[in-house]
Amino acid sequence: MRFHDAADVHRYIGGIFREAFEDDEIGPKLRETGIVLQFRFSEPDAVVVVDTVSATVTDGSGVTRPTAVMSTSADTGNAYWQGKVNLPLAMARGRIQVEGNVAGLLKLAPLGKKLYPRYVCALRRDGREDLLV
């Protein structure tokens, strides 16, 4: 099964960043990166913008220009947040395309590892075993 629509992508992938900003350990480190990351997902089409400066997650409307853009399928994004996708390897193989500040993006990877269990927990909590990889 896949995400149903863009709102579904925002709920889970955007939600993991909203949760990260609220975390006492991860939130400050996330804000220190100072990047604006735009995710462009396909199948379903969705845009999730994470502005670490203002600690917001939006659909991209009215947001400042991103410093990095990551394009991938929503399935790959879902698998990544479960810890099942190696970011540098996926970039090398073309499963994930990145434009802009790649170094800033790679700074986020260690923070993401702390969020994988929370993402999986959110899927299970909502009965979305269909999204578990």
Side-chain angles (χ1 to χ4, degrees):
M1 198 74 166
R2 294 184 163 170
F3 289 112
H4 301 299
D5 51 27
D8 215 17
V9 174
H10 280 273
R11 178 180 181 145
Y12 294 105
I13 295 179
I16 199 64
F17 283 98
R18 284 187 284 279
E19 188 173 324
F21 285 127
E22 294 175 9
D23 185 273
D24 291 338
E25 177 188 352
I26 300 169
K29 291 178 182 177
L30 187 57
R31 285 187 280 282
E32 284 173 12
T33 66
I35 69 168
V36 177
L37 175 59
Q38 181 183 75
F39 292 98
R40 292 181 189 161
F41 295 107
S42 59
E43 301 175 48
D45 291 342
V47 174
V48 176
V49 176
V50 180
D51 185 337
T52 65
V53 177
S54 65
T56 58
V57 181
T58 68
D59 64 1
S61 55
V63 173
T64 58
R65 191 173 173 165
T67 53
V69 177
M70 180 186 291
S71 302
T72 191
S73 71
D75 285 346
T76 299
N78 176 52
Y80 174 81
W81 285 107
Q82 294 180 57
K84 306 295 183 182
V85 175
N86 177 288
L87 182 59
L89 186 59
M91 289 168 57
R93 292 188 174 165
R95 287 181 61 199
I96 297 174
Q97 295 80 38
V98 178
E99 304 167 33
N101 185 349
V102 176
L105 176 63
L106 292 174
K107 286 182 190 176
L108 294 176
L111 299 176
K113 290 178 183 179
K114 296 180 182 224
L115 295 171
Y116 299 156
R118 293 180 188 193
Y119 182 79
V120 171
C121 183
L123 294 176
R124 286 195 171 118
R125 176 193 66 225
D126 292 350
R128 293 302 306 267
E129 284 82 9
D130 59 306
L131 289 173
L132 294 175
V133 177

